[in-house]
Amino acid sequence: MGSHGSTVWIVFTGLVVALLVLDLGVLNRRSHVLSFKEALSWSAGWVALALAFGLFIYSREGLTPALEYYTGYVIELSLSVDNLFVFILVFQYFAVPPELQPRVLKWGIFGAVIMRGIMIAVGAALLARFEWIIYVFAVIVIWTGYRMLRHEEMRVEPERNPVVRLAQKLLPFTAAYEGPAFIVRSRRGWFGTPLLLVLIVVETTDLVFAVDSIPAIFAVTDDPFIVYSSNVFAILGLRALFFVIAGMLDKFEYLKPGVAAILVFVGTKMLVHHWYEVPILLSLGVVIGTLAACVVASLIKSRRATNS
């Protein structure tokens, strides 16, 4: 397992906080719907930052850790796309006005960064103490890939969400949205708004996806810092990526089967790691090659359908 001193963690945490403040607190302080062109520009910027951080890891630790970081980043980013499809369904279910969606995404990112850090710490501790846990992670990853190949979609059923039901028991809710407010106060006391329920569903959905995605990255490396940094850089770009995906929702038909195939490959790699260690460069090639093939095939089919 990789070893990183507290200084590295503190510096990285400071970098993440600074990026969040710059993005969500300064440049995009007023939540607004990004145009497709603007979303593409922001997404490209976040990818560039993620790639640059990989070069930083390479300069400090060498090629293998850098390749592990890049592989983990691509895996997490590809899984995030599937996560965003569900977010779109959540917004449609609750009829969230477009101008309020960026606010939910903004706070969702804050929560996701914190939750991923906690889950990665727990996962790393389990792997360090119980080596056989890697096989449990493998089964989780392969089963997730199998479900995706069978097109078993995650259903948006807020009424069955235990966290949502608990919130409704603890706090009365207004019938309609109250602008960007999550909680409002009236003469009768404090009330939650439907936007708060949307945020709760988004956060719990991300938690479910984290259970699938974090074990997948532990197949690439058991270094908690590499796992966390690759996760965080993928999460930081989700807000802009959401608007890219929303603008091209009908153009990525083969992306989900591709992500499913990657999960099956990663899970299999975890199962056989005791007998055969798949080279990290090969893993990165399989992940990027599969995604590229699926995107190209999707775009070709979409263009043919448009021209026919």
Side-chain angles (χ1 to χ4, degrees), residues 123-294:
L126 288 173
L127 278 176
R129 186 165 185 178
F130 308 106
E131 188 176 347
W132 53 265
I133 284 288
I134 193 71
Y135 299 111
V136 177
F137 286 178
V139 171
I140 293 174
V141 172
I142 292 175
W143 177 248
T144 302
Y146 172 74
R147 287 179 55 201
M148 291 179 69
L149 284 173
R150 287 176 54 88
H151 303 287
E152 294 184 14
E153 304 287 346
M154 176 178 285
R155 297 180 180 178
V156 180
E157 299 176 324
E159 68 280 358
R160 300 181 61 180
N161 186 312
V163 182
V164 169
R165 292 167 65 180
L166 177 62
Q168 291 174 324
K169 288 182 179 180
L170 296 177
L171 187 68
F173 281 81
T174 61
Y177 290 101
E178 299 286 342
F182 292 115
I183 298 177
V184 293
R185 187 178 183 181
S186 69
R187 294 178 179 178
R188 294 181 296 165
W190 293 96
F191 286 79
T193 71
L195 201 64
L196 178 60
L197 290 179
V198 175
L199 179 62
I200 291 172
V201 173
V202 165
E203 292 287 15
T204 52
T205 299
D206 181 74
L207 182 62
V208 172
F209 272 91
V211 173
D212 299 330
S213 64
I214 290 176
I217 301 183
F218 272 115
V220 176
T221 176
D222 59 0
D223 185 333
F225 181 75
I226 299 292
V227 175
Y228 184 60
S229 58
S230 60
N231 253 268
V232 166
F233 270 105
I235 292 171
L236 290 176
L238 283 187
R239 186 182 65 88
L241 187 60
F242 172 85
F243 294 101
V244 174
I245 296 300
M248 301 183 68
L249 189 60
D250 58 340
K251 298 184 184 296
F252 294 116
E253 181 177 347
Y254 298 122
L255 188 58
K256 180 165 288 191
V259 174
I262 290 172
L263 287 175
V264 173
F265 166 74
V266 168
T268 303
K269 176 184 175 182
M270 298 167 84
L271 288 177
V272 304
H273 86 285
H274 185 73
W275 301 275
Y276 176 70
E277 189 70 32
V278 178
I280 187 62
L281 195 57
L282 175 61
S283 296
L284 182 59
V286 169
V287 172
I288 293 179
T290 302
L291 286 177
C294 291

Side-chain angles (χ1 to χ4, degrees), residues 14-56:
L15 173 64
V16 171
V17 171
L19 290 173
L20 284 172
V21 170
L22 179 65
D23 178 23
L24 305 178
V26 179
L27 300 178
N28 294 289
R29 183 175 59 182
R30 294 181 62 186
S31 297
H32 66 287
V33 177
L34 298 179
S35 67
F36 183 72
K37 184 177 180 180
E38 190 179 7
L40 274 179
S41 299
W42 274 101
S43 295
W46 283 116
V47 170
L49 279 174
L51 296 178
F53 189 77
L55 293 177
F56 169 75

